[in-house]
Amino acid sequence: GIRDYKVTGVQTCALPIFDKFGQLTVVLGRFIPAMRAIVPFLIGMTGMEFMKFYRASILAISVWGFGLIILTTGLSSIL
């Protein structure tokens, strides 16, 4: 895992968050634009199990997709 390598910068801040919140970090990372690109990379470096990451990603993608459907349906009925 990441602990075998030199830890610097963003990794120093990210590791405690990933250790504390785990899969929730993956889910929330899908909804925060600045984190969207780096969360999967950093999660991979922390050594999270693939299936835990996959389940959290599927949950986040499902919520995101359902939210977009609700949003577009609501907007189309207004317009």
Side-chain angles (χ1 to χ4, degrees):
I2 185 65
R3 287 154 185 88
D4 298 335
Y5 302 101
K6 183 178 176 184
V7 179
T8 60
V10 174
Q11 298 165 352
T12 303
C13 297
L15 284 175
I17 294 169
F18 293 142
D19 288 341
K20 184 175 181 180
F21 296 108
Q23 293 175 326
L24 183 61
T25 308
V26 177
V27 174
L28 293 177
R30 297 290 183 191
F31 295 96
I32 301 171
M35 292 179 57
R36 190 174 300 135
I38 61 171
V39 164
F41 174 71
L42 291 173
I43 286 286
M45 291 175 62
T46 62
M48 177 184 275
E49 294 176 30
F50 175 73
M51 286 308 294
K52 286 183 178 181
F53 175 76
Y54 189 71
R55 281 193 301 261
S57 289
I58 293 297
L59 173 66
I61 291 166
S62 299
V63 171
W64 182 260
F66 184 70
L68 286 178
I69 291 170
I70 296 298
L71 179 66
T72 56
T73 304
L75 286 177
S76 68
S77 67
I78 292 172
L79 301 175

